[in-house]
Amino acid sequence: MARPYTPGPKQFVFAAGDGNDHHVSVGDPQEAYVAFSAFFRGRESDTYTITDQPAKQRLVLMPRLGVISRVADGDQPRSEHLKIDRPNRYLPSAMLFFENGYSGLDHFGQWFADLADLDASPEARGAARAATVTTEAAAIDEVGRIWADSGYVDPTDSYYIFFDSKDIDDDRADRAELLQLIDFLGLERVDAPAEAAGGEVWVRSDPRLDAECEQWS
């Protein structure tokens, strides 16, 4: 059961650019998610916006561009943008926003402050994201995010497997970032078994990974 909003209820505004904004008053994130899911699936639009006016925060979904933007308009305005490769990512992003606002999406993917950065190739985006990681703690945190999205530990507990059952053309930006972070952290990448999918990345177990990935499990 979703944790109720305190204080509650909470108000959101859903917009799709047609002038027919939808105002909702909800008691918890799950109720907000159900209401937005119906709004999202009930129309076709280039842009869908969720606005939390009291918090001065917005989430903008742009399915035709394959982009999600998050915006905070408070005392220190900021915005970040994310390229989406899979259509089923839009509604989960909304749920995270309903749960914890702007910061709830911190680990949802590769965020960039400049929208123009999203025009780069996936490999260039991954390299650019990796270049922003300058400490071991941040690198381990980012590796954990990538692993949590589609990874597992092999039955012998000897290896961390990233991009489980994925093809080499899947998750190209995250893969490019991961490979640079593996080098940065000095982790040991090993050859995947012959029967593994072509896009899988196998890394030998490391105490730093053990501690981080335990939090994501």
Side-chain angles (χ1 to χ4, degrees):
M1 183 175 179
R3 184 179 71 250
Y5 289 126
T6 303
K10 192 166 185 175
Q11 285 73 42
F12 294 96
V13 180
F14 306 153
D18 57 5
N20 187 24
D21 294 356
H22 187 53
H23 296 252
V24 298
S25 179
V26 291
D28 60 56
Q30 182 63 37
E31 188 179 352
Y33 175 80
V34 170
F36 180 71
S37 295
F39 178 86
F40 182 81
R41 291 175 172 142
R43 40 185 53 78
E44 288 190 14
S45 177
D46 291 341
T47 303
Y48 301 83
T49 303
I50 303 169
T51 302
D52 180 348
Q53 292 177 328
K56 298 181 180 179
Q57 296 181 354
R58 287 176 285 134
L59 183 70
V60 185
L61 313 181
M62 295 170 271
R64 292 182 184 173
L65 291 179
V67 172
I68 293 175
S69 296
R70 58 176 181 167
V71 182
D73 293 322
D75 294 336
Q76 296 180 323
R78 62 195 191 279
S79 62
E80 289 188 309
H81 314 280
L82 173 69
K83 190 74 173 178
I84 292 295
D85 299 318
R86 302 193 297 273
N88 62 357
R89 301 277 280 170
Y90 293 103
L91 288 176
S93 75
M95 184 63 186
L96 292 173
F97 184 76
F98 291 133
E99 288 178 331
N100 289 299
Y102 188 101
S103 63
L105 291 116
D106 283 352
H107 295 101
F108 195 64
Q110 295 180 341
W111 294 99
F112 292 91
D114 190 341
L115 189 58
D117 288 338
L118 302 187
D119 293 332
S121 71
E123 289 75 17
R125 282 189 277 120
R129 173 72 175 184
T132 68
V133 179
T134 58
T135 66
E136 178 176 292
I140 288 290
D141 185 63
E142 189 69 358
V143 168
R145 174 192 69 79
I146 296 171
W147 177 82
D149 193 43
S150 60
Y152 71 99
V153 181
D154 85 300
T156 70
D157 290 332
S158 299
Y159 306 102
Y160 282 87
I161 293 87
F162 297 79
F163 312 114
D164 176 31
S165 302
K166 298 295 185 70
D167 186 77
I168 194 67
D169 291 327
D170 298 327
D171 300 305
R172 290 161 55 195
D174 273 345
R175 184 175 289 102
E177 179 185 7
L178 174 67
L179 295 180
Q180 288 203 33
L181 294 178
I182 287 173
D183 289 340
F184 177 79
L185 291 166
L187 299 173
E188 182 183 353
R189 184 182 178 188
V190 300
D191 292 335
E195 66 273 15
E200 291 185 4
V201 175
W202 286 54
V203 175
R204 193 174 299 279
S205 181
D206 179 281
R208 294 168 295 171
L209 288 182
D210 297 340
E212 179 65 24
C213 292
E214 179 67 25
Q215 300 180 45
W216 291 94
S217 300

